[in-house]
Amino acid sequence: MRENDMLEKEEIFSKVLRAGRRTYFFDVRATKADDYYITITESKKFTEEDGSFHFKKHKIYLYKEDFTAFAEILGDMTSYVLNHKGEEVISERHQKDFKKEYPAENTAETELPAISSFTDIDFDDI
């Protein structure tokens, strides 16, 4: 196993945020010089048609020299969203009681059209 892989496994402090199909992992880790940095990992579950599933992960490495600017920008961005859109969740799929409703099928389109008149044919005439 590579030394870098060993460092990835050593977590000093961790928190988890579960958010629907996504899970966010916040981990404090140590560098080779025993300084600390943070990793933020987004793990998203995807289900296949056959019922099997897999996870896609995206990771951000955040070092101490960037903490202040990162926290400031994150605060600015979250404040902007909340000030402009409020805290209400607009996206239907993120509402806890969301149930997808399908429009009622138009039965007039699926029924055969009514026949107003027809010609009675006797097979003996053919």
Side-chain angles (χ1 to χ4, degrees):
M1 184 179 276
R2 296 182 329 193
E3 187 175 339
N4 191 27
D5 291 336
M6 289 295 287
L7 288 175
E8 280 292 309
K9 293 186 182 254
E10 189 175 333
E11 298 169 1
I12 295 155
F13 180 69
S14 296
K15 293 227 176 206
V16 176
L17 170 63
R18 297 192 195 299
R21 291 186 331 167
R22 290 182 173 87
T23 302
Y24 299 97
F25 299 92
F26 299 85
D27 300 303
V28 174
R29 301 183 184 273
T31 65
K32 290 179 187 177
D34 201 32
D35 202 0
Y36 290 169
Y37 66 100
I38 296 172
T39 61
I40 302 170
T41 307
E42 176 200 40
S43 179
K44 187 173 180 183
K45 184 177 183 178
F46 290 90
T47 305
E48 304 295 336
E49 289 181 14
D50 65 359
S52 64
F53 58 89
H54 69 279
F55 294 92
K56 283 190 178 179
K57 295 182 179 182
H58 299 93
K59 189 172 284 201
I60 297 172
Y61 294 85
L62 188 58
Y63 298 93
K64 287 191 323 188
E65 59 268 25
D66 301 320
F67 285 2
T68 302
F70 186 92
E72 184 179 313
I73 292 171
L74 181 61
D76 290 346
M77 300 306 280
T78 56
S79 293
Y80 180 88
V81 171
L82 295 175
N83 289 336
H84 286 82
K85 294 295 180 179
E87 293 186 23
E88 180 183 357
V89 177
I90 297 171
S91 174
E92 293 173 338
R93 73 174 60 177
H94 292 98
Q95 294 175 4
K96 290 181 182 179
D97 60 348
F98 173 71
K99 290 183 181 163
K100 180 118 176 131
E101 293 182 18
Y102 296 95
E105 291 184 21
N106 188 348
T107 55
E109 291 179 12
T110 58
E111 292 177 4
L112 294 174
I115 300 174
S116 57
S117 65
F118 68 94
T119 305
D120 189 12
I121 299 177
D122 190 341
F123 287 106
D124 292 334
D125 293 339
I126 300 180

